[in-house]
Amino acid sequence: EIVMTQSPATLSVSPGERATLSCRASQSVSSNLAWYQQKPGQAPRLLIYGASTRATGIPARFSGSGSGTEFTLTISSLQSEDFAVYYCQQYNNWPPSLTFGGGTKVEIK
Amino acid sequence: QITLKESGPTLVKPTQTLTLTCTFSGFSLSTSGVGVGWIRQPPGKALEWLALIYWDDDKRYSPSLKSRLTITKDTSKNQVVLTMTNMDPVDTATYYCARVLTGTTDAFDIWGQGTMVTVSS
């Protein structure tokens, strides 16, 4: 099973600053990588798919990059509504599995 | 408008079988490329994918839970059902269903609100 490792576990950032979140796969997942945002008491929301494509309605300050085993989610200028937990997820076709990372909590510094 | 909603018991006893239903609207599970999956989240912990069923009845399961899971669909009712056998307190979690569109996002693009299931005697 492909293991997804996110770092750091917690990121303290001031509003207006840039946040950079990392996700590493234990083996190549090509560009089959998604990022989700989850706020307390809410279901996750899709932000990025295909490693770098923003989902419908997602602001341009969110960007994704990477391929293979190393991926990054960047939030260019953090807004108050961006403080949340972020998860990466791979959806590689073979072996057939879908796995999530452990999450990165972005908190106010 | 696309919606999904989970339903099922809020409390189950250890060793019992859990049956959860995802009822959706705004799309059809008979349309090529569409899938519906189940994901769970123990309190304060990360997301864990459980199972996924596609429009062509192809089914995928988490390797670690495969022996305990069964996913089925009823296209006429717009429902997907997940059964999990031999429930244990560690299975206490919020259970979500979500839609997948293969060939486009290939990710869970629309999620239900989730349903909390507690396993306790």
Side-chain angles (χ1 to χ4, degrees):
Chain A
E1 183 175 282
I2 299 174
V3 177
M4 307 301 292
T5 303
Q6 291 187 243
S7 61
T10 304
L11 186 61
S12 299
V13 186
S14 300
E17 290 187 340
R18 173 187 296 257
T20 302
L21 290 65
S22 295
C23 176
R24 174 176 293 179
S26 60
Q27 64 187 78
S28 177
V29 298
S30 186
S31 294
N32 298 317
L33 192 285
W35 289 95
Y36 301 85
Q37 176 193 68
Q38 187 179 34
K39 297 179 181 179
Q42 296 185 16
R45 176 175 71 146
L46 177 64
L47 297 176
I48 301 285
Y49 63 92
S52 61
T53 303
R54 279 189 301 276
T56 302
I58 302 304
R61 64 181 182 272
F62 291 92
S63 63
S65 63
S67 66
T69 62
E70 300 284 343
F71 301 89
T72 301
L73 174 69
T74 302
I75 311 171
S76 60
S77 177
L78 270 160
Q79 306 298 303
S80 58
E81 61 267 29
D82 300 335
F83 292 96
V85 180
Y86 293 83
Y87 293 96
C88 63
Q89 177 229 328
Q90 65 83 16
Y91 45 92
N92 208 40
N93 285 332
W94 191 261
S97 69
L98 305 169
T99 46
F100 289 89
T104 291
K105 181 180 180 180
V106 177
E107 63 176 24
I108 300 174
K109 186 175 182 180
Chain B
Q1 183 185 8
I2 296 170
T3 64
L4 302 96
K5 188 172 183 179
E6 306 85 353
S7 59
T10 57
L11 179 66
V12 297
K13 290 180 167 54
T15 75
Q16 287 186 336
T17 294
L18 172 69
T19 299
L20 294 173
T21 301
C22 175
T23 303
F24 54 87
S25 64
F27 67 95
S28 173
L29 200 41
S30 61
T31 300
S32 178
V34 177
V36 172
W38 286 92
I39 305 98
R40 71 178 179 180
Q41 185 174 37
K45 296 189 177 181
L47 301 164
E48 179 183 21
W49 169 69
L50 302 176
L52 179 56
I53 189 166
Y54 293 99
W55 80 101
D56 59 358
D57 211 36
D58 184 20
K59 301 169 185 176
R60 307 282 177 92
Y61 295 100
S62 166
S64 61
L65 293 167
K66 185 175 183 178
S67 64
R68 298 174 54 203
L69 297 174
T70 302
I71 189 169
T72 60
K73 63 180 175 68
D74 187 330
T75 304
S76 64
K77 292 183 179 179
N78 282 350
Q79 291 181 334
V80 171
V81 175
L82 179 76
T83 60
M84 180 179 291
T85 61
N86 194 24
M87 293 292 286
D88 183 273
V90 299
D91 297 315
T92 294
T94 297
Y95 287 76
Y96 297 98
C97 64
R99 185 185 76 164
V100 167
L101 294 179
T102 61
T104 53
T105 67
D106 285 305
F108 295 111
D109 66 337
I110 308 292
W111 293 63
Q113 63 189 23
T115 185
M116 179 67 192
V117 178
T118 300
V119 184
S120 175
S121 55

